[in-house]
């Protein structure tokens, strides 16, 4: 049973560019959440998708957007990249009921230069 | 506003010793309190979790103690091993599994 898979694993982008990160949830999971983890910090919630809709959103600007596909996979898009967007981006999948275990992928390390 | 405060920031424990990491939360609506373990270059992995209707949960060498009135919970790692060296995050959530994380504790278990 494959867990949560994310691609790519590493990415280098130039300030001002746009980036798309991808996530496939664990088998049987239909809820996908995205987190940003800056170096030396805990993950920060970006947004959550369920039934192809954004269900909840954290305190992130509109430059951060997402999408969920009918097969439950998801994309995170970041426009107009800033140096401060450099971080590990984590995808987590879970069942939609509250308080259930969230399984994390290995993350995508984004470096903005 | 940091809703989950974690301490200490780093911890060095001798092999065989007890590692203790503490967290405090502010939002009384939180109803799920997991601990995650993260190795360098990897995503966080669930270690153990507790709900507020119990005061303690033990799984192997890992124990969560929960104090609802004080809004605090802690992770105890008994018989700490070098392989336990990692960063540990406490978290809390309510509703649909959106987690609020602490800032993490870097644990080093010396041989």
């Amino acid at each position: 049973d494959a867990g949560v898979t994310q691609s790519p694993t590493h990415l280098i982008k130039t300030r001002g560019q746009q980036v798309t990160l991808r996530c496939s949830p664990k088998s049987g999971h239909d809820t996908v959440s995205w987190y940003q983890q800056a170096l030396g910090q805990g993950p920060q919630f970006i947004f959550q998708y369920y039934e192809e809709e954004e269900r909840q959103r954290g305190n992130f600007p509109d430059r951060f957007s997402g999408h969920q596909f009918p097969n439950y996979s998801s994309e995170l898009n970041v426009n107009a990249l800033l140096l401060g967007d450099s971080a590990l981006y984590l995808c987590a999948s879970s069942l939609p009921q509250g308080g259930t275990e969230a399984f994390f992928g290995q993350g995508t390390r984004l470096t903005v230069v | 506003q940091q809703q989950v405060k974690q301490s200490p920031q780093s911890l060095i424990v001798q092999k065989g010793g007890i590692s203790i990491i503490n967290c405090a939360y502010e939002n009384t609506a939180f109803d799920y309190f997991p601990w995650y373990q993260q190795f360098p270059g990897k995503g966080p992995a669930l270690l153990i979790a507790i709900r507020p209707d119990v005061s303690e949960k033990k799984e192997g060498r890992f124990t969560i103690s929960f104090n609802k009135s004080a809004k605090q919970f802690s992770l105890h790692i008994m018989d700490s091993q070098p392989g336990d060296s990692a960063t540990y995050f406490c978290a809390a959530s309510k509703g649909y599994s959106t987690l609020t994380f602490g800032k993490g504790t870097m644990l080093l278990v010396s041989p």
Side-chain angles (χ1 to χ4, degrees), chain B residues 25-69:
Chain B
Y25 64 97
E26 298 168 5
N27 189 342
T28 55
F30 287 147
D31 59 4
Y32 177 66
F33 302 89
W35 284 90
Y36 281 83
Q37 179 189 57
Q38 186 176 30
F39 292 103
K42 302 292 184 183
L46 181 68
L47 202 56
I48 186 172
I50 198 168
R51 291 189 178 274
D53 52 348
V54 296
S55 60
E56 186 174 282
K57 183 175 181 180
K58 183 175 180 179
E59 289 185 0
R61 297 185 293 110
F62 301 93
T63 300
I64 298 180
S65 297
F66 186 82
N67 186 330
K68 188 175 181 178
S69 61

Side-chain angles (χ1 to χ4, degrees), chain A residues 31 33 35 37 40-45 48 55-56 88 90 94-107, chain B residues 9 31-32 36 38 41-47 49 51 87 89 93-104 106:
Chain A
T31 301
S33 301
Y35 292 81
Q37 186 177 20
Q41 300 293 316
Q44 297 274 324
F45 172 69
Q48 184 183 78
R55 182 160 67 180
Q56 291 189 53
L88 181 68
L90 295 162
S94 60
L95 295 170
Q97 295 89 349
T100 60
E101 178 178 350
F103 288 83
F104 283 84
Q106 83 284 0
Chain B
Q9 194 171 7
D31 59 4
Y32 177 66
Y36 281 83
Q38 186 176 30
K42 302 292 184 183
L46 181 68
L47 202 56
R51 291 189 178 274
T87 301
F89 294 95
S93 74
K94 65 183 176 88
Y96 304 108
S97 305
T98 58
L99 294 161
T100 300
F101 283 86
K103 290 191 173 183
M106 193 176 300

Side-chain angles (χ1 to χ4, degrees), chain A residues 39-111:
Chain A
L39 202 60
Q41 300 293 316
Q44 297 274 324
F45 172 69
I46 303 174
F47 42 53
Q48 184 183 78
Y49 277 84
Y50 171 65
E51 291 188 342
E52 302 178 52
E53 298 271 336
E54 182 183 289
R55 182 160 67 180
Q56 291 189 53
R57 187 178 182 92
N59 188 25
F60 279 80
D62 292 344
R63 297 187 297 109
F64 289 78
S65 63
H67 188 77
Q68 185 178 34
F69 299 94
N71 66 352
Y72 309 128
S73 67
S74 177
E75 288 183 348
L76 164 66
N77 300 292
V78 187
N79 294 321
L81 284 166
L82 303 174
L83 296 179
D85 294 332
S86 296
L88 181 68
Y89 287 85
L90 295 162
C91 171
S93 73
S94 60
L95 295 170
Q97 295 89 349
T100 60
E101 178 178 350
F103 288 83
F104 283 84
Q106 83 284 0
T108 294
R109 172 69 63 186
L110 172 65
T111 302

